[in-house]
Amino acid sequence: MGNHRQILLKNIDHPDQHTVAGYESRGGYSVIKKAMGLDPLAVLEEVKKSGLRGRGGAGFGTGQKWSFIPRNSGKPIYIVQNADESGPGTFKDRLLLERDPHLVIEGQLICAWAVQSNFSVIYIRGEYGYPYIRIQRAIDEAYAKGYLGENIFGSGFTHHMIVHRGAGAYICGEETALLNSLEGKKGQPRLKPPYYPAAIGLYDCPTVVNNTETLAACVAILENGGEWYAAIGTEKSTGTKLISASGHINKPGIYEIEMGYPLLQFIEEECGGIWKGRNLKGVMPGGSSFPILRADELAGVNIDYESLSKAGSHVGSGGFMVMDDHTDMVEAALNVAHFYAHESCGQCTPCREGGHWIEKIFGRISKGGGLPGDVQLVESICGQVAGHTICAFGEALAWPAQSFIRKFPEEFRGRISEAREGRVISRESMNADVGGSH
Amino acid sequence: MSAAAAQRLTEIKKRYPHPHSAVMSALYLAQEELGVIDQRGIQWVSEQLEMAPVHVQEVATFYTMYYKQPVGAYHFQVCRTLSCALRGSKHLTEHLKKRFHIKPNEVSADGKWSYEEVECLGSCGTAPMCEINDTYFENLTPEKLEAIIQRIEKEKPELRLSTLTDSLGDGLQGQPKSEVR
Ligand SMILES: Cc1cc2nc3c(=O)[nH]c(=O)nc-3n(C[C@H](O)[C@H](O)[C@H](O)COP(=O)(O)O)c2cc1C
Ligand code: SF4
Ligand code: FES
């Protein structure tokens, strides 16, 4: 088993970690206290030095993002923590919110001090009822202890923090949609430019939007220094990453690994290998919004930004979905396509129409009614969607669909020609394939 | 709508820089009392927040967690997305269909049961799973789901956010345990 430093999860198994007393007993809130003794720009500098990249999917430099916040605009500066976590295959933020909520709060306070913000919001997906209770209680405790509110540590610094519940819309994870949602509007993305949150964010004020895991990582960075963090992982992918591992593996769950860890070793050792003694067929390493990789493409691939990009996919949110060699890729592609068709916010024609169209085509191929040109048709629709929409949902829809037909063309074509030749073979859908979790 | 709900909303409004940000909370409050979001709820939210009704309506229809049609006292939301599908979520839906003799989004004659398929609920490591009202049930099989139904019939728990407790209990009171390592 890889011997990974546990930075984010080091205290996760303590049963009282979610309480302020438990958190304090393991050094909690000492890092923000120390950080507030430093100049805010020095705090920002540590985060920059750490090389930390956003854990919500895009992988943008966190320190760099914070440095875009104008300090003298005369407007309030806001922080919004993106705890919407609705991307298929991703369930790591939930763990932090449930089991170590004060870590999340302390990370957010570090950001607040660095950018000198007096108000922040944790936007949590509506379905996360229990995590909501945990984080809300932790905030109440932090207020009672004086870690939140006015004059924190007698410094004169004020920071207020609230939790906002979403109500079931994947697109609200996109940062500008999230801000619209928070303002009481429909959660539809805004056009970038001009709506970069750092400049024109919540109520048109400068706003930092960061993922839960990103903010949580800032605590260890300020505790041990940016250079310490940068020394972990690889040059461009520093630190550790939470991987949400699911699908056909023996040990699904959340693993904290050091960036740069070999992907196949991760499957074998951490995930306990493929279930039922079967073989690996493919993996979506970065959640369903990035391309699938075939088993034979994985030799030498590591879990980090450089290696996964080179292999044609992405670290994304770390939503690591594994499929065994019994998986019907037409069904899998259809399942993913249904998600995107269902979740489009409907603002852009290519996304709204393209999503349904792709689903329809995969659907007819799956049912034995595929047409000879269908594979090319999906290619062409994907080309018309990616790069032609307001937000990156367009790519999230197109890239995976395209990757399924490119990586497993024989399955799609085979299904189509069988149908054309009247040899419809009744297959068990992949949903019939259960048993492992019994 | 009760005075208590209006009072709660006044409190919530104050937490935001702009009162319109409270529209989602307001809709939740309305749904808690009315069971669905219909014209009564829209009207109430619109008056409380001084927002145009059409604006409130737009928000209400955008999000899936505001029910425009009534649901059962126990609303089962089975995740159908990839990680759950790979581990047999379809069998859960089939079980519910047979068990309750209804189609998705229908309500059983006694008003007790309804179900639907929903998208990824962030519980993929404990797939397949089902959310009942506001409570997650994970690592399911049709047999386990049936056992849960039987306990619900006997114990009649609410399984709502307002009744979720903080304890890491095993029982019907939620199963908060995203699996670590
Ligand atoms: C369709 C779509 C969905 C997204 N969903 C999430 C999400 O659930 N959680 C998240 O943190 N970021 C999500 N993002 C990324 C955010 O837009 C944003 O980049 C991120 O929250 C920034 O934080 P980070 O820099 O810490 O990653 C999504 C982006 C897109 C395009
Ligand atoms: S790409 Fe899709 S989700 Fe994004 S703004 Fe356009 S329609 Fe909405
Ligand atoms: S795929 Fe079902 S909870 Fe994520």
Side-chain angles (χ1 to χ4, degrees):
Chain A
M1 181 116 37
N3 201 5
H4 300 279
R5 235 167 302 203
Q6 299 294 290
I7 295 172
L8 292 162
L9 302 187
K10 72 174 177 210
N11 292 321
I12 210 86
D13 289 327
H14 293 287
D16 64 345
Q17 182 65 12
H18 65 288
T19 65
V20 73
Y23 186 68
E24 285 173 331
S25 75
R26 285 173 279 275
Y29 291 110
S30 64
V31 179
I32 179 61
K33 189 167 182 189
K34 185 180 110 181
M36 284 177 60
L38 302 173
D39 186 76
L41 287 173
V43 172
L44 200 158
E45 200 50 41
E46 285 308 319
V47 175
K48 261 193 184 162
K49 267 195 258 171
S50 76
L52 175 66
R53 295 168 66 164
R55 303 307 196 210
F60 194 82
T62 305
Q64 201 184 356
K65 180 182 278 189
W66 295 4
S67 70
F68 291 155
I69 296 291
R71 282 165 191 272
N72 301 308
S73 67
K75 291 181 178 174
I77 293 167
Y78 297 124
I79 301 169
V80 178
Q81 177 184 145
N82 191 340
D84 194 52
E85 192 160 70
S86 311
T90 315
F91 45 100
K92 63 187 173 79
D93 296 335
R94 175 178 161 210
L95 177 72
L96 295 174
L97 295 159
E98 277 180 6
R99 300 264 201 100
D100 208 347
H102 289 283
L103 180 74
V104 167
I105 295 170
E106 188 169 5
Q108 187 144 315
L109 272 169
I110 289 169
C111 177
W113 179 250
V115 303
Q116 293 289 294
S117 157
N118 305 127
F119 181 74
S120 65
V121 182
I122 297 176
Y123 187 108
I124 186 169
R125 69 176 297 182
E127 295 89 343
Y128 277 2
Y130 185 73
Y132 163 75
I133 288 176
R134 277 277 167 103
I135 189 75
Q136 182 61 59
R137 180 157 313 176
I139 286 178
D140 295 344
E141 284 180 327
Y143 267 105
K145 284 273 185 171
Y147 299 132
L148 288 173
E150 277 157 30
N151 197 19
I152 299 168
F153 299 123
S155 64
F157 180 65
T158 294
H159 191 78
H160 290 289
M161 194 180 287
I162 64 166
V163 189
H164 182 97
R165 287 180 70 214
Y170 164 66
I171 194 57
C172 288
E174 196 282 336
E175 56 187 12
T176 60
L178 189 151
L179 296 176
N180 271 340
S181 172
L182 203 44
E183 289 181 10
K185 302 172 183 152
K186 280 189 288 185
Q188 290 184 319
R190 302 169 175 175
L191 206 54
K192 290 195 263 187
Y195 290 101
Y196 288 109
I200 314 177
L202 186 60
Y203 314 112
D204 291 343
C205 295
T207 305
V208 175
V209 183
N210 269 135
N211 173 254
T212 304
E213 182 187 351
T214 311
L215 290 168
C218 293
V219 178
I221 290 169
L222 264 293
E223 183 178 7
N224 302 299
E227 277 168 22
W228 165 85
Y229 192 83
I232 304 164
T234 74
E235 192 195 335
K236 294 207 173 81
S237 311
T238 60
T240 60
K241 175 85 191 83
L242 296 182
I243 304 294
S244 312
S246 68
H248 295 152
I249 44 179
N250 281 316
K251 293 193 295 172
I254 295 155
Y255 299 89
E256 180 171 14
I257 60 159
E258 293 182 19
M259 288 279 201
Y261 189 55
L263 190 152
L264 287 172
Q265 191 178 350
F266 175 68
I267 294 180
E268 267 327 298
E269 298 190 4
E270 273 72 14
C271 304
I274 307 300
W275 76 348
K276 303 180 181 177
R278 291 179 185 169
N279 293 313
L280 174 65
K281 184 164 186 178
V283 53
M284 301 186 96
S288 72
S289 300
F290 292 102
I292 186 170
L293 298 175
R294 226 172 30 220
D296 63 279
E297 298 176 297
L298 298 174
V301 173
N302 300 328
I303 302 178
D304 61 53
Y305 293 101
E306 304 93 302
S307 185
L308 280 173
S309 306
K310 201 163 140 239
S313 193
H314 203 280
V315 171
S317 58
F320 196 90
M321 297 188 280
V322 181
M323 285 157 256
D324 72 15
D325 55 2
H326 285 50
T327 310
D328 179 335
M329 286 302 174
V330 177
E331 291 293 325
L334 173 60
N335 184 293
V336 172
H338 178 86
F339 176 83
Y340 290 99
H342 185 260
E343 297 293 336
S344 167
C345 86
Q347 272 190 113
C348 326
T349 314
C351 169
R352 186 185 59 237
E353 303 296 325
H356 285 290
W357 205 3
I358 293 172
E359 184 192 5
K360 198 169 144 194
I361 297 167
F362 284 158
R364 72 180 176 225
I365 297 176
S366 132
K367 288 191 187 64
L371 305 171
D374 273 353
V375 172
Q376 296 91 304
L377 189 53
V378 171
E379 259 305 331
S380 131
I381 297 167
C382 291
Q384 290 167 52
V385 176
H388 298 98
T389 55
I390 290 175
C391 86
F393 185 100
E395 284 79 39
L397 179 166
W399 288 344
Q402 203 171 39
S403 73
F404 274 101
I405 54 171
R406 286 188 185 171
K407 302 287 167 82
F408 303 95
E410 66 293 342
E411 266 184 68
F412 289 83
R413 292 189 199 286
R415 190 76 64 86
I416 293 167
S417 48
E418 274 167 18
R420 305 298 290 171
E421 292 156 15
R423 300 185 281 121
V424 176
I425 297 164
S426 133
R427 283 184 178 76
E428 285 190 358
S429 82
M430 72 176 170
N431 286 319
D433 190 21
V434 277
S437 57
H438 285 209
Chain B
M1 289 293 298
S2 67
Q7 182 57 36
R8 283 223 35 220
L9 185 53
T10 307
E11 297 294 312
I12 292 168
K13 254 188 334 199
K14 279 192 241 158
R15 299 159 46 192
Y16 293 96
H18 195 291
H20 285 184
S21 289
V23 65
M24 293 174 75
S25 301
L27 286 165
Y28 274 129
L29 286 172
Q31 181 157 291
E32 226 174 275
E33 268 190 42
L34 305 170
V36 303
I37 293 296
D38 55 16
Q39 281 317 309
R40 295 169 299 168
I42 301 287
Q43 200 55 40
W44 181 76
V45 173
S46 142
E47 281 160 17
Q48 295 290 319
L49 298 179
E50 297 176 27
M51 279 171 88
V54 38
H55 208 125
V56 178
Q57 177 87 39
E58 251 179 25
V59 173
T61 47
F62 189 79
Y63 300 95
T64 55
M65 288 176 68
Y66 302 123
Y67 297 123
K68 273 60 82 179
Q69 298 294 326
V71 294
Y74 294 98
H75 186 55
F76 290 62
Q77 299 145 82
V78 179
C79 172
R80 62 149 293 280
T81 316
L82 190 58
S83 302
C84 284
L86 291 169
R87 293 183 85 106
S89 58
K90 194 154 253 177
H91 296 289
L92 302 181
T93 323
E94 278 161 8
H95 182 77
L96 295 176
K97 188 174 175 183
K98 274 189 293 193
R99 181 65 161 73
F100 301 141
H101 309 286
I102 47 175
K103 291 207 218 53
N105 291 312
E106 288 176 358
V107 182
S108 63
D110 57 4
K112 225 165 146 186
W113 313 106
S114 58
Y115 71 92
E116 64 177 324
E117 289 190 332
V118 298
E119 300 298 342
C120 179
L121 289 172
S123 190
C124 336
T126 43
M129 62 84 63
C130 172
E131 183 179 13
I132 308 175
N133 295 347
D134 296 322
T135 307
Y136 279 24
F137 294 87
E138 303 169 64
N139 279 321
L140 294 177
T141 60
E143 296 73 34
K144 285 189 198 168
L145 188 59
E146 178 54 33
I148 291 166
I149 294 169
Q150 291 182 15
R151 279 191 65 184
I152 289 176
E153 286 185 315
K154 214 162 41 205
E155 298 170 27
K156 304 184 175 55
E158 292 217 12
L159 306 181
R160 300 206 177 274
L161 191 62
S162 49
T163 57
L164 277 180
T165 70
D166 193 39
S167 66
L168 280 157
D170 70 315
L172 280 175
Q173 205 55 268
Q175 303 190 321
K177 51 163 188 49
S178 30
E179 258 163 39
V180 203
R181 288 156 293 155

